[in-house]
Amino acid sequence: MQIIHTPKATPPAGHYSQAVRANGFVFVSGQLGFLPPAAPGDRPALASGAADQAREALRSVQAILETAGSSLSAVVNVTVYIPDVGLWDEVNRVYEQCFGAHRPARAIVPTRELHYGALVEISVVALA
């Protein structure tokens, strides 16, 4: 098992890793739509709106996967959490732009609320 960390993605805010590479897979922890911090140690701010948060979360996912030697085209499963089912279409448009013709298995899970008031959280499993 290998712990994956990159400064190109939001640092973990708790007792977890950005990702773990194991048994031929990369398991990426849930990523919120934070903007990159201005300087090391700065607390990142959430992007404005669900679409921008989805873009930033997927940017972090991509950076983590690349650090692990993988890519978005190797993603086999995606879980997207949203606090309001009304955000589904907005988030899905960004998702489609990001993944293009690649269609991994996916679940979009409406939930009550996300940490820090986020509108999107995305976790993935990819081939290593």
Side-chain angles (χ1 to χ4, degrees):
M1 183 171 85
Q2 176 187 7
I3 303 301
I4 305 299
H5 177 79
T6 178
K8 295 179 180 179
T10 305
H15 190 72
Y16 63 93
S17 301
Q18 287 173 327
V20 173
R21 184 178 175 158
N23 295 326
F25 291 96
V26 179
F27 300 87
V28 179
S29 294
Q31 298 297 303
L32 300 178
F34 286 115
L35 296 167
D42 284 356
R43 182 175 177 162
L46 285 169
S48 298
D52 286 342
Q53 286 186 29
R55 276 186 203 88
E56 291 301 324
L58 287 165
R59 177 195 55 76
S60 283
V61 165
Q62 182 174 9
I64 293 165
L65 288 172
E66 289 173 357
T67 298
S70 189
S71 68
L72 288 175
S73 64
V75 170
V76 295
N77 192 355
V78 179
T79 305
V80 180
Y81 300 93
I82 53 177
D84 180 348
V85 75
L87 299 172
W88 186 303
D89 289 338
E90 186 177 355
V91 171
N92 194 55
R93 279 191 294 277
V94 172
Y95 179 92
E96 287 177 358
Q97 291 169 355
C98 183
F99 281 98
H102 181 53
R103 294 178 179 252
R106 179 185 78 178
I108 294 185
V109 182
T111 185
R112 287 185 358 171
E113 58 186 50
L114 296 171
H115 203 46
Y116 303 112
L119 299 174
V120 179
E121 182 172 350
I122 300 174
S123 64
V124 307
V125 177
L127 297 173

